[in-house]
Amino acid sequence: MIQVTAITAAYNAASYIENCIQSVLAQTVPCRMVIVDDASLDDTYAIAMRYAEEYPDRITVLKNEQNAGAAASRNRAVACATTPYVAILDADDWWQEDKTERQLKRLAETKADACYAGRELMHADGISTTKIVQVPETVTYHGLLKGNVIPCSSVLMRREDALQYPMTHDELHEDYIVWLSMLRDGKTFAGVNEPLLKSRLGETGKSRKKGKSARMTYGVYRYMGIPVWKAVYYFCCYAAAGCKKYAGARGKK
């Protein structure tokens, strides 16, 4: 039985979507994939549909008539999935072949509710920067408030939890809100400290605009009900962690 469905929201991703899809099809444990084309203006939908026609039992493609944003598109994909687990994968990223297998094993070992992994940073053209961002083997609510160490495209979680904690607020870091909400409610996360995710560094992503990303992070703190004085403290921790995040990323051996 297939246990995992990859959840992909895609907008104007024609240049990248094939690599993303192929990495799901190449997983060492079979996975399904639900792609939601978010009213793209390029050939994203046509490319995805070619794969859906070739792999009708593995790939489902939905199309938003109007641009709804990543959060709503991911929620729509989760609602369409039928497997026990879902795994988020942005359209410009891709997975190492044993990513889902390693994470399912980690979940079985730890009994955690969700699993994340490290990532290798890639240039926009798909060539490695040789930088690897490591992750801790576990994380707590208060620890995560000091900096989001959970790469969104690396997360594998129970579908029932994804339904219970839908993504909202695209104007903030919608994934960060979900991870914090789950941890606050007693859910547990386990990490695989290896670069199972290949993360493309595009120039248009909101997290790449550091000033905007910082404002969004502070907005997450306030959305989560963190008092101003604590929010300032956590923001300072976030800023310090951000300075180390890429400068401290280790090169490939």
Side-chain angles (χ1 to χ4, degrees):
M1 182 184 78
I2 294 180
Q3 297 188 72
V4 180
T5 297
I7 299 300
T8 298
Y11 177 70
N12 290 349
S15 298
Y16 312 126
I17 192 71
E18 287 194 79
N19 195 25
C20 174
I21 295 171
Q22 288 169 1
S23 79
V24 174
L25 293 173
Q27 289 297 295
T28 52
V29 293
C31 296
R32 294 198 178 104
M33 186 176 196
V34 178
I35 302 166
V36 176
D37 176 76
D38 195 17
S40 295
L41 303 176
D42 61 7
D43 292 332
T44 298
Y45 181 74
I47 294 169
M49 279 303 300
R50 287 205 299 269
Y51 280 91
E53 290 165 1
E54 185 175 356
Y55 300 94
D57 296 331
R58 300 278 299 279
I59 298 175
T60 299
V61 180
L62 308 174
K63 185 176 180 63
N64 294 336
E65 293 306 315
Q66 296 182 330
N67 186 265
S73 297
R74 289 171 184 153
N75 295 341
R76 186 181 181 191
V78 170
C80 181
T82 59
T83 53
Y85 294 95
V86 294
I88 301 167
L89 177 59
D90 287 346
D92 55 349
D93 294 337
W94 67 98
W95 292 336
Q96 187 170 296
E97 288 184 358
D98 60 348
K99 187 260 190 189
T100 50
E101 181 179 7
R102 296 280 298 279
Q103 289 188 300
L104 287 171
K105 181 179 179 181
R106 178 81 170 134
L107 287 177
E109 292 171 346
T110 62
K111 309 302 181 186
D113 297 295
C115 186
Y116 55 93
R119 57 182 176 146
E120 181 178 1
L121 304 181
M122 317 299 288
H123 291 295
D125 59 7
I127 296 175
S128 177
T129 67
T130 74
K131 300 292 186 181
I132 293 173
V133 179
Q134 298 182 327
V135 294
E137 291 189 354
T138 188
V139 67
T140 65
Y141 173 67
H142 292 291
L144 196 67
L145 282 170
K146 295 179 180 179
N148 186 8
V149 297
I150 301 178
C152 186
S153 282
S154 78
V155 172
L156 186 151
M157 62 194 296
R158 293 190 182 95
R159 177 176 177 266
E160 62 188 53
D161 287 333
L163 290 170
Q164 182 180 350
Y165 298 89
M167 290 195 175
T168 58
H169 294 284
D170 272 314
E171 77 278 8
L172 302 175
H173 291 299
E174 67 280 355
D175 58 321
Y176 194 19
I177 291 173
V178 171
W179 318 147
L180 286 170
S181 298
M182 290 177 66
L183 287 166
R184 183 184 59 188
D185 291 350
K187 301 290 184 179
T188 57
F189 282 70
V192 178
N193 189 23
E194 293 189 37
L196 305 181
L197 168 66
K198 310 305 175 182
S199 184
R200 199 183 303 264
L201 297 177
E203 295 301 322
T204 58
K206 59 189 179 183
S207 293
R208 292 289 288 161
K209 300 175 181 177
K210 299 308 178 187
K212 181 178 180 181
S213 182
R215 291 192 296 272
M216 290 163 63
T217 297
Y218 185 79
V220 169
Y221 297 149
R222 300 300 292 135
Y223 175 83
M224 295 297 297
I226 307 297
V228 171
W229 69 271
K230 276 191 177 181
V232 171
Y233 165 73
Y234 285 126
F235 184 82
C236 290
C237 294
Y238 150 82
C243 291
K244 297 177 182 178
K245 188 172 186 178
Y246 295 101
R250 61 178 174 83
K252 292 178 68 178
K253 300 296 184 183

